[in-house]
Amino acid sequence: SQQGEEDPQALSIQEGENATMNCSYKTSINNLQWYRQNSGRGLVHLILIRSNEREKHSGRLRVTLDTSKKSSSLLITASRAADTASYFCATDSQGSGSARQLTFGSGTQLTVLP
Amino acid sequence: DVKVTQSSRYLVKRTGEKVFLECVQDMDHENMFWYRQDPGLGLRLIYFSYDVKMKEKGDIPEGYSVSREKKERFSLILESASTNQTSMYLCASWDSTDTQYFGPGTRLTVL
């Protein structure tokens, strides 16, 4: 299965609520990144957390990383309708005999209802 | 309605030259990014900045440095250009609640 797996696959919340998405991975990583993709558009980088970091904030985003459980969570506080999008985690790991690369999970579709 | 501008669309440099790629955004965004895009490899993050004078390494920072002295300007520096740095360089800015805006890109060729 994929390196990064998001959970849940789909999430629907009311505007103003917090949204939490989880990501699990299998192998050792250098860092883990979260991206957003609005319908029909390209990926947008949200935040990067390194393997030696446990928590990181950027605006309304909060990311945690638990390397012992090989998992990460993305929390979006005070959600807005504009946060409706697909959210992907991407793990940065050293491939065997190859350059570092990002491996994306299948994504969580977040719908924020006004 | 251009919001992110890059200093050059096409640039040809010689191996060993110092190269400056400038990016300016007029949206008062705090977050700015430099990517390179190569066929078959997609977008790879070189450096990014969440605030003035702040910088963080991305996936492939080797051979590059950056400067963020003002909020609107994020510069990518190739200290000593090499042929493997021939690529399309894309700058982007983003406000964490808005679309990430990309500049038009700079096609750099290092001979």
Side-chain angles (χ1 to χ4, degrees):
Chain A
S1 57
Q2 291 178 306
Q3 166 74 326
E5 292 287 346
E6 289 88 347
D7 170 59
Q9 290 187 327
L11 180 63
S12 185
I13 60 174
Q14 295 291 327
E15 204 165 24
E17 293 181 341
N18 295 340
T20 300
M21 288 159 273
N22 302 297
C23 171
S24 60
Y25 57 93
K26 298 184 186 302
T27 64
S28 297
I29 61 171
N30 299 307
N31 64 62
L32 186 145
Q33 303 177 32
W34 285 91
Y35 287 80
R36 181 184 75 205
Q37 184 174 38
N38 291 87
S39 179
R41 299 198 175 190
L43 289 164
V44 174
H45 178 271
L46 292 177
I47 198 163
L48 179 152
I49 186 164
R50 301 190 187 280
S51 59
N52 62 352
E53 296 176 311
R54 293 294 167 259
E55 188 171 312
K56 205 157 186 179
H57 298 256
S58 178
R60 293 185 297 114
L61 306 180
R62 173 177 171 258
V63 169
T64 62
L65 179 64
D66 187 333
T67 53
S68 65
K69 295 181 180 178
K70 290 186 168 59
S71 67
S72 173
S73 68
L74 171 67
L75 168 68
I76 304 173
T77 60
S79 64
R80 308 168 183 172
D83 294 329
T84 294
S86 292
Y87 291 82
F88 297 86
C89 71
T91 51
D92 175 1
S93 56
Q94 186 81 38
S96 57
S98 63
R100 289 170 63 185
Q101 60 184 358
L102 281 180
T103 304
F104 286 83
S106 53
T108 293
Q109 174 60 49
L110 172 67
T111 302
V112 181
L113 303 170
Chain B
D1 189 16
V2 176
K3 299 182 184 298
V4 180
T5 58
Q6 294 183 228
S7 50
S8 305
R9 291 298 305 272
Y10 300 94
L11 205 54
V12 180
K13 295 291 182 180
R14 296 206 173 273
T15 302
E17 282 193 81
K18 190 169 186 176
V19 182
F20 292 87
L21 302 181
E22 302 284 338
C23 176
V24 178
Q25 52 95 2
D26 63 357
M27 294 168 284
D28 202 35
H29 287 172
E30 293 180 346
N31 307 299
M32 296 188 74
F33 305 82
W34 273 107
Y35 298 88
R36 62 177 284 177
Q37 188 173 32
D38 300 287
L41 296 176
L43 281 171
R44 291 182 292 168
L45 183 62
I46 305 172
Y47 265 97
F48 58 101
S49 170
Y50 288 148
D51 202 353
V52 175
K53 294 191 185 295
M54 176 272 179
K55 59 186 178 184
E56 285 206 35
K57 295 179 180 179
D59 304 319
I60 49 166
E62 295 79 18
Y64 303 95
S65 61
V66 290
S67 173
R68 184 96 182 268
E69 294 297 319
K70 293 185 178 180
K71 193 175 186 180
E72 66 271 19
R73 187 180 298 270
F74 192 34
S75 302
L76 180 69
I77 304 157
L78 287 66
E79 295 291 341
S80 178
S82 62
T83 54
N84 63 13
Q85 291 179 309
T86 291
S87 185
M88 171 68 84
Y89 289 87
L90 293 166
C91 172
S93 75
W94 164 68
D95 189 23
S96 81
T97 61
D98 205 347
T99 304
Q100 188 172 62
Y101 289 91
F102 281 83
T106 295
R107 173 71 68 183
L108 173 66
T109 302
V110 182
L111 302 174

